[in-house]
Amino acid sequence: MAEIEDLAKTLKGKLARYSSSRADQASGQGAEPANETAVVWIQDALEDIAATALGIEIASRKLFLQAASAGDRDSTSETVQEQLAGTAE
């Protein structure tokens, strides 16, 4: 997860530098709408990637906790059954 966040941060920084350099170049010429649209689209995509990665991490932690909880219940149930079997003998 940290790798994805670092990559997204790096790409956002590069995109910001690209946008500012394009703005400097286009200041005398007028900005190209297609470039501005592309930059906005890329920014949205990077935010979506970061949000998706976070969602995956949260979901995996939730599943891990559910599995651990189920495992605890199973081992507790087995222990009780073993104790009951031991007293029945």
mmCIF file of all heavy atoms in Angstrom, residues 38-70:
data_model
loop_
_atom_site.group_PDB
_atom_site.id
_atom_site.type_symbol
_atom_site.label_atom_id
_atom_site.label_comp_id
_atom_site.label_asym_id
_atom_site.label_seq_id
_atom_site.Cartn_x
_atom_site.Cartn_y
_atom_site.Cartn_z
ATOM 1 N N ALA A 38 -6.731 16.789 -20.267
ATOM 2 C CA ALA A 38 -5.904 15.604 -19.993
ATOM 3 C C ALA A 38 -5.301 15.673 -18.599
ATOM 4 O O ALA A 38 -5.276 14.675 -17.877
ATOM 5 C CB ALA A 38 -4.810 15.468 -21.049
ATOM 6 N N VAL A 39 -4.833 16.850 -18.204
ATOM 7 C CA VAL A 39 -4.236 17.004 -16.876
ATOM 8 C C VAL A 39 -5.278 16.747 -15.796
ATOM 9 O O VAL A 39 -5.018 16.027 -14.820
ATOM 10 C CB VAL A 39 -3.595 18.403 -16.724
ATOM 11 C CG1 VAL A 39 -3.248 18.684 -15.273
ATOM 12 C CG2 VAL A 39 -2.362 18.517 -17.594
ATOM 13 N N VAL A 40 -6.468 17.278 -15.967
ATOM 14 C CA VAL A 40 -7.547 17.052 -14.987
ATOM 15 C C VAL A 40 -7.895 15.567 -14.935
ATOM 16 O O VAL A 40 -8.084 14.997 -13.852
ATOM 17 C CB VAL A 40 -8.786 17.911 -15.328
ATOM 18 C CG1 VAL A 40 -9.984 17.503 -14.497
ATOM 19 C CG2 VAL A 40 -8.475 19.387 -15.141
ATOM 20 N N TRP A 41 -7.964 14.929 -16.092
ATOM 21 C CA TRP A 41 -8.285 13.507 -16.137
ATOM 22 C C TRP A 41 -7.212 12.696 -15.406
ATOM 23 O O TRP A 41 -7.521 11.776 -14.647
ATOM 24 C CB TRP A 41 -8.395 13.049 -17.594
ATOM 25 C CG TRP A 41 -8.800 11.615 -17.720
ATOM 26 C CD1 TRP A 41 -10.057 11.109 -17.723
ATOM 27 C CD2 TRP A 41 -7.919 10.489 -17.827
ATOM 28 N NE1 TRP A 41 -10.015 9.744 -17.836
ATOM 29 C CE2 TRP A 41 -8.716 9.338 -17.904
ATOM 30 C CE3 TRP A 41 -6.525 10.362 -17.874
ATOM 31 C CZ2 TRP A 41 -8.174 8.068 -18.019
ATOM 32 C CZ3 TRP A 41 -5.990 9.080 -17.981
ATOM 33 C CH2 TRP A 41 -6.813 7.959 -18.057
ATOM 34 N N ILE A 42 -5.952 13.019 -15.630
ATOM 35 C CA ILE A 42 -4.858 12.303 -14.969
ATOM 36 C C ILE A 42 -4.914 12.519 -13.462
ATOM 37 O O ILE A 42 -4.724 11.578 -12.682
ATOM 38 C CB ILE A 42 -3.492 12.726 -15.546
ATOM 39 C CG1 ILE A 42 -3.368 12.261 -16.996
ATOM 40 C CG2 ILE A 42 -2.345 12.168 -14.721
ATOM 41 C CD1 ILE A 42 -2.185 12.854 -17.729
ATOM 42 N N GLN A 43 -5.190 13.735 -13.021
ATOM 43 C CA GLN A 43 -5.301 14.010 -11.579
ATOM 44 C C GLN A 43 -6.421 13.173 -10.974
ATOM 45 O O GLN A 43 -6.252 12.571 -9.900
ATOM 46 C CB GLN A 43 -5.562 15.496 -11.338
ATOM 47 C CG GLN A 43 -4.369 16.372 -11.595
ATOM 48 C CD GLN A 43 -4.699 17.855 -11.560
ATOM 49 O OE1 GLN A 43 -5.827 18.256 -11.834
ATOM 50 N NE2 GLN A 43 -3.710 18.675 -11.233
ATOM 51 N N ASP A 44 -7.560 13.128 -11.643
ATOM 52 C CA ASP A 44 -8.681 12.313 -11.155
ATOM 53 C C ASP A 44 -8.310 10.834 -11.102
ATOM 54 O O ASP A 44 -8.643 10.131 -10.139
ATOM 55 C CB ASP A 44 -9.919 12.501 -12.041
ATOM 56 C CG ASP A 44 -10.565 13.861 -11.889
ATOM 57 O OD1 ASP A 44 -10.248 14.577 -10.914
ATOM 58 O OD2 ASP A 44 -11.396 14.217 -12.756
ATOM 59 N N ALA A 45 -7.606 10.366 -12.134
ATOM 60 C CA ALA A 45 -7.202 8.963 -12.171
ATOM 61 C C ALA A 45 -6.252 8.629 -11.022
ATOM 62 O O ALA A 45 -6.385 7.578 -10.385
ATOM 63 C CB ALA A 45 -6.547 8.639 -13.517
ATOM 64 N N LEU A 46 -5.313 9.524 -10.733
ATOM 65 C CA LEU A 46 -4.380 9.288 -9.624
ATOM 66 C C LEU A 46 -5.116 9.259 -8.286
ATOM 67 O O LEU A 46 -4.806 8.440 -7.416
ATOM 68 C CB LEU A 46 -3.282 10.346 -9.620
ATOM 69 C CG LEU A 46 -2.269 10.249 -10.762
ATOM 70 C CD1 LEU A 46 -1.347 11.465 -10.762
ATOM 71 C CD2 LEU A 46 -1.470 8.961 -10.661
ATOM 72 N N GLU A 47 -6.086 10.144 -8.122
ATOM 73 C CA GLU A 47 -6.880 10.124 -6.889
ATOM 74 C C GLU A 47 -7.682 8.834 -6.791
ATOM 75 O O GLU A 47 -7.803 8.255 -5.706
ATOM 76 C CB GLU A 47 -7.793 11.344 -6.844
ATOM 77 C CG GLU A 47 -7.042 12.641 -6.624
ATOM 78 C CD GLU A 47 -7.935 13.872 -6.706
ATOM 79 O OE1 GLU A 47 -9.171 13.727 -6.746
ATOM 80 O OE2 GLU A 47 -7.385 14.987 -6.727
ATOM 81 N N ASP A 48 -8.226 8.374 -7.910
ATOM 82 C CA ASP A 48 -8.968 7.112 -7.913
ATOM 83 C C ASP A 48 -8.070 5.936 -7.560
ATOM 84 O O ASP A 48 -8.473 5.037 -6.814
ATOM 85 C CB ASP A 48 -9.612 6.867 -9.281
ATOM 86 C CG ASP A 48 -10.765 7.800 -9.577
ATOM 87 O OD1 ASP A 48 -11.252 8.476 -8.645
ATOM 88 O OD2 ASP A 48 -11.184 7.866 -10.756
ATOM 89 N N ILE A 49 -6.852 5.940 -8.086
ATOM 90 C CA ILE A 49 -5.909 4.856 -7.784
ATOM 91 C C ILE A 49 -5.586 4.832 -6.291
ATOM 92 O O ILE A 49 -5.602 3.773 -5.661
ATOM 93 C CB ILE A 49 -4.624 5.007 -8.627
ATOM 94 C CG1 ILE A 49 -4.924 4.703 -10.095
ATOM 95 C CG2 ILE A 49 -3.510 4.103 -8.102
ATOM 96 C CD1 ILE A 49 -3.810 5.105 -11.041
ATOM 97 N N ALA A 50 -5.314 5.995 -5.734
ATOM 98 C CA ALA A 50 -4.995 6.067 -4.301
ATOM 99 C C ALA A 50 -6.188 5.618 -3.456
ATOM 100 O O ALA A 50 -6.031 4.871 -2.489
ATOM 101 C CB ALA A 50 -4.565 7.480 -3.934
ATOM 102 N N ALA A 51 -7.391 6.055 -3.840
ATOM 103 C CA ALA A 51 -8.587 5.669 -3.089
ATOM 104 C C ALA A 51 -8.854 4.166 -3.209
ATOM 105 O O ALA A 51 -9.244 3.520 -2.230
ATOM 106 C CB ALA A 51 -9.795 6.463 -3.578
ATOM 107 N N THR A 52 -8.649 3.619 -4.383
ATOM 108 C CA THR A 52 -8.840 2.177 -4.580
ATOM 109 C C THR A 52 -7.850 1.378 -3.747
ATOM 110 O O THR A 52 -8.221 0.385 -3.113
ATOM 111 C CB THR A 52 -8.693 1.820 -6.073
ATOM 112 O OG1 THR A 52 -9.677 2.550 -6.817
ATOM 113 C CG2 THR A 52 -8.865 0.335 -6.310
ATOM 114 N N ALA A 53 -6.612 1.802 -3.732
ATOM 115 C CA ALA A 53 -5.597 1.112 -2.934
ATOM 116 C C ALA A 53 -5.957 1.152 -1.454
ATOM 117 O O ALA A 53 -5.837 0.144 -0.742
ATOM 118 C CB ALA A 53 -4.223 1.732 -3.167
ATOM 119 N N LEU A 54 -6.433 2.292 -0.999
ATOM 120 C CA LEU A 54 -6.845 2.411 0.400
ATOM 121 C C LEU A 54 -8.036 1.497 0.682
ATOM 122 O O LEU A 54 -8.072 0.803 1.704
ATOM 123 C CB LEU A 54 -7.202 3.864 0.723
ATOM 124 C CG LEU A 54 -7.680 4.140 2.143
ATOM 125 C CD1 LEU A 54 -6.601 3.784 3.160
ATOM 126 C CD2 LEU A 54 -8.069 5.604 2.284
ATOM 127 N N GLY A 55 -8.993 1.472 -0.226
ATOM 128 C CA GLY A 55 -10.154 0.589 -0.057
ATOM 129 C C GLY A 55 -9.768 -0.872 -0.006
ATOM 130 O O GLY A 55 -10.304 -1.645 0.792
ATOM 131 N N ILE A 56 -8.828 -1.265 -0.851
ATOM 132 C CA ILE A 56 -8.355 -2.651 -0.852
ATOM 133 C C ILE A 56 -7.674 -2.978 0.472
ATOM 134 O O ILE A 56 -7.892 -4.049 1.042
ATOM 135 C CB ILE A 56 -7.402 -2.897 -2.041
ATOM 136 C CG1 ILE A 56 -8.191 -2.871 -3.352
ATOM 137 C CG2 ILE A 56 -6.645 -4.211 -1.878
ATOM 138 C CD1 ILE A 56 -7.329 -2.838 -4.586
ATOM 139 N N GLU A 57 -6.866 -2.054 0.964
ATOM 140 C CA GLU A 57 -6.181 -2.290 2.239
ATOM 141 C C GLU A 57 -7.186 -2.428 3.382
ATOM 142 O O GLU A 57 -7.080 -3.342 4.200
ATOM 143 C CB GLU A 57 -5.202 -1.162 2.541
ATOM 144 C CG GLU A 57 -4.457 -1.393 3.845
ATOM 145 C CD GLU A 57 -3.456 -0.300 4.164
ATOM 146 O OE1 GLU A 57 -3.513 0.775 3.549
ATOM 147 O OE2 GLU A 57 -2.634 -0.531 5.055
ATOM 148 N N ILE A 58 -8.176 -1.556 3.419
ATOM 149 C CA ILE A 58 -9.191 -1.620 4.479
ATOM 150 C C ILE A 58 -9.975 -2.924 4.383
ATOM 151 O O ILE A 58 -10.209 -3.593 5.397
ATOM 152 C CB ILE A 58 -10.116 -0.394 4.403
ATOM 153 C CG1 ILE A 58 -9.344 0.863 4.814
ATOM 154 C CG2 ILE A 58 -11.351 -0.581 5.276
ATOM 155 C CD1 ILE A 58 -10.088 2.157 4.539
ATOM 156 N N ALA A 59 -10.366 -3.299 3.171
ATOM 157 C CA ALA A 59 -11.130 -4.538 2.986
ATOM 158 C C ALA A 59 -10.309 -5.761 3.386
ATOM 159 O O ALA A 59 -10.832 -6.681 4.022
ATOM 160 C CB ALA A 59 -11.594 -4.658 1.543
ATOM 161 N N SER A 60 -9.024 -5.762 3.030
ATOM 162 C CA SER A 60 -8.203 -6.918 3.379
ATOM 163 C C SER A 60 -8.001 -7.021 4.890
ATOM 164 O O SER A 60 -7.982 -8.114 5.447
ATOM 165 C CB SER A 60 -6.860 -6.884 2.649
ATOM 166 O OG SER A 60 -6.078 -5.808 3.082
ATOM 167 N N ARG A 61 -7.851 -5.871 5.545
ATOM 168 C CA ARG A 61 -7.730 -5.900 7.014
ATOM 169 C C ARG A 61 -9.018 -6.415 7.647
ATOM 170 O O ARG A 61 -8.987 -7.208 8.596
ATOM 171 C CB ARG A 61 -7.419 -4.505 7.550
ATOM 172 C CG ARG A 61 -6.000 -4.081 7.328
ATOM 173 C CD ARG A 61 -5.731 -2.740 7.927
ATOM 174 N NE ARG A 61 -4.372 -2.298 7.643
ATOM 175 C CZ ARG A 61 -3.874 -1.163 8.042
ATOM 176 N NH1 ARG A 61 -4.609 -0.324 8.743
ATOM 177 N NH2 ARG A 61 -2.640 -0.834 7.749
ATOM 178 N N LYS A 62 -10.153 -5.974 7.110
ATOM 179 C CA LYS A 62 -11.444 -6.417 7.642
ATOM 180 C C LYS A 62 -11.596 -7.923 7.468
ATOM 181 O O LYS A 62 -12.002 -8.621 8.395
ATOM 182 C CB LYS A 62 -12.581 -5.676 6.931
ATOM 183 C CG LYS A 62 -13.940 -5.982 7.457
ATOM 184 C CD LYS A 62 -15.001 -5.157 6.740
ATOM 185 C CE LYS A 62 -16.384 -5.494 7.247
ATOM 186 N NZ LYS A 62 -17.424 -4.734 6.544
ATOM 187 N N LEU A 63 -11.246 -8.441 6.292
ATOM 188 C CA LEU A 63 -11.330 -9.880 6.056
ATOM 189 C C LEU A 63 -10.377 -10.649 6.963
ATOM 190 O O LEU A 63 -10.708 -11.716 7.468
ATOM 191 C CB LEU A 63 -11.036 -10.193 4.594
ATOM 192 C CG LEU A 63 -12.120 -9.796 3.601
ATOM 193 C CD1 LEU A 63 -11.628 -10.009 2.171
ATOM 194 C CD2 LEU A 63 -13.398 -10.564 3.851
ATOM 195 N N PHE A 64 -9.181 -10.100 7.166
ATOM 196 C CA PHE A 64 -8.213 -10.745 8.050
ATOM 197 C C PHE A 64 -8.773 -10.828 9.470
ATOM 198 O O PHE A 64 -8.683 -11.877 10.122
ATOM 199 C CB PHE A 64 -6.888 -9.981 8.041
ATOM 200 C CG PHE A 64 -5.892 -10.513 9.023
ATOM 201 C CD1 PHE A 64 -5.172 -11.652 8.740
ATOM 202 C CD2 PHE A 64 -5.689 -9.873 10.243
ATOM 203 C CE1 PHE A 64 -4.248 -12.155 9.658
ATOM 204 C CE2 PHE A 64 -4.782 -10.370 11.156
ATOM 205 C CZ PHE A 64 -4.053 -11.510 10.863
ATOM 206 N N LEU A 65 -9.354 -9.715 9.939
ATOM 207 C CA LEU A 65 -9.913 -9.714 11.289
ATOM 208 C C LEU A 65 -11.091 -10.676 11.407
ATOM 209 O O LEU A 65 -11.243 -11.359 12.422
ATOM 210 C CB LEU A 65 -10.333 -8.303 11.688
ATOM 211 C CG LEU A 65 -9.184 -7.306 11.884
ATOM 212 C CD1 LEU A 65 -9.738 -5.907 12.121
ATOM 213 C CD2 LEU A 65 -8.283 -7.734 13.026
ATOM 214 N N GLN A 66 -11.916 -10.751 10.363
ATOM 215 C CA GLN A 66 -13.038 -11.690 10.382
ATOM 216 C C GLN A 66 -12.535 -13.130 10.416
ATOM 217 O O GLN A 66 -13.062 -13.968 11.143
ATOM 218 C CB GLN A 66 -13.936 -11.476 9.164
ATOM 219 C CG GLN A 66 -14.761 -10.218 9.226
ATOM 220 C CD GLN A 66 -15.535 -9.966 7.947
ATOM 221 O OE1 GLN A 66 -15.276 -10.576 6.916
ATOM 222 N NE2 GLN A 66 -16.480 -9.050 8.011
ATOM 223 N N ALA A 67 -11.502 -13.415 9.621
ATOM 224 C CA ALA A 67 -10.945 -14.763 9.593
ATOM 225 C C ALA A 67 -10.322 -15.114 10.936
ATOM 226 O O ALA A 67 -10.475 -16.233 11.432
ATOM 227 C CB ALA A 67 -9.915 -14.883 8.469
ATOM 228 N N ALA A 68 -9.613 -14.154 11.519
ATOM 229 C CA ALA A 68 -8.997 -14.396 12.829
ATOM 230 C C ALA A 68 -10.063 -14.629 13.886
ATOM 231 O O ALA A 68 -9.927 -15.514 14.728
ATOM 232 C CB ALA A 68 -8.108 -13.220 13.218
ATOM 233 N N SER A 69 -11.120 -13.852 13.816
ATOM 234 C CA SER A 69 -12.213 -14.010 14.770
ATOM 235 C C SER A 69 -12.894 -15.360 14.593
ATOM 236 O O SER A 69 -13.197 -16.043 15.566
ATOM 237 C CB SER A 69 -13.227 -12.878 14.582
ATOM 238 O OG SER A 69 -14.323 -13.052 15.437
ATOM 239 N N ALA A 70 -13.102 -15.769 13.363
ATOM 240 C CA ALA A 70 -13.708 -17.076 13.099
ATOM 241 C C ALA A 70 -12.789 -18.188 13.571
ATOM 242 O O ALA A 70 -13.247 -19.189 14.118
ATOM 243 C CB ALA A 70 -14.008 -17.221 11.611
#
